[in-house]
Amino acid sequence: PGWVSVQAGGACKLNGTKFSVAGLTTPVSGGLIDLTCASVEATTALEASGSGNSSEWGDGGSITITTTSGPVTFNGAVTADATGYYACGGQINITAAARLTTDNAGMSAKGSQGCDGGYINVDAGGPVFLNSALLVSSTTAADGTVGSGGYVWVRGTSVTTDGAWSANGGTGDSYGGGIDLVATAGAVTMLPTNTLAADGGGTDSS
């Protein structure tokens, strides 16, 4: 797959159906999506997932959203999943100059069949409210090759979280990944329905 790039000195309002640089044939990794604007308000889904099968990899691609002065408000799913054998999760990076809000969007950079989950990095100059699932988990291949969990980093002046978050490894002797929440000025608040999991599998994992 190729790439989609949107660069604007003013606001970006993205209300289409989807930006997609996903792999359509096997094996193909996901491509690159890059948005850089003064502010971002979007309902558009972004996808940079790979395409693989039981013997071939399709790594997740890369999605980057950056604002230079204003907030990020995002209500579309952001996906950089891997599919196939030993396929690694992709990368999602969101950097907001001001507040960052997602509402039921879902962000996912999962690994597949023995390769690790990817990472999701959220960094805001204002409050962060994430009302969505964040997934960087992985799975175990049929031959027993295990994939470990990926990593989630969230940083804002305050952080409020909801939804199901997973950095779990696959079954077998996998390792859980990590979830890091940092509030630079205010509180970290987990809503009652929020779950954070970074479990490993097997007897030698952590």
Side-chain angles (χ1 to χ4, degrees), residues 52-56 82-88 110-116 137-148 170:
N53 56 29
S54 60
S55 61
E56 297 179 302
T83 60
Y85 179 73
Y86 205 75
C88 299
K110 295 182 291 185
S112 175
Q113 297 187 44
C115 197
D116 297 343
S137 53
S138 192
T139 63
T140 298
D143 64 4
T145 304
V146 297
S148 295

Side-chain angles (χ1 to χ4, degrees), residues 157-171:
T157 55
S158 62
V159 175
T160 303
T161 62
D162 200 0
W165 295 24
S166 176
N168 291 343
T171 57

Side-chain angles (χ1 to χ4, degrees), residues 65-135:
I65 302 170
T66 305
T67 62
T68 56
S69 60
V72 171
T73 303
F74 216 90
N75 298 327
V78 182
T79 309
D81 288 339
T83 60
Y85 179 73
Y86 205 75
C88 299
Q91 306 171 10
I92 297 171
N93 293 286
I94 304 178
T95 303
R99 63 175 171 81
L100 184 144
T101 304
T102 68
D103 188 8
N104 295 319
M107 287 187 272
S108 182
K110 295 182 291 185
S112 175
Q113 297 187 44
C115 197
D116 297 343
Y119 69 79
I120 297 171
N121 181 60
V122 174
D123 191 353
V128 173
F129 181 75
L130 296 172
N131 177 25
S132 60
L134 272 68
L135 306 175

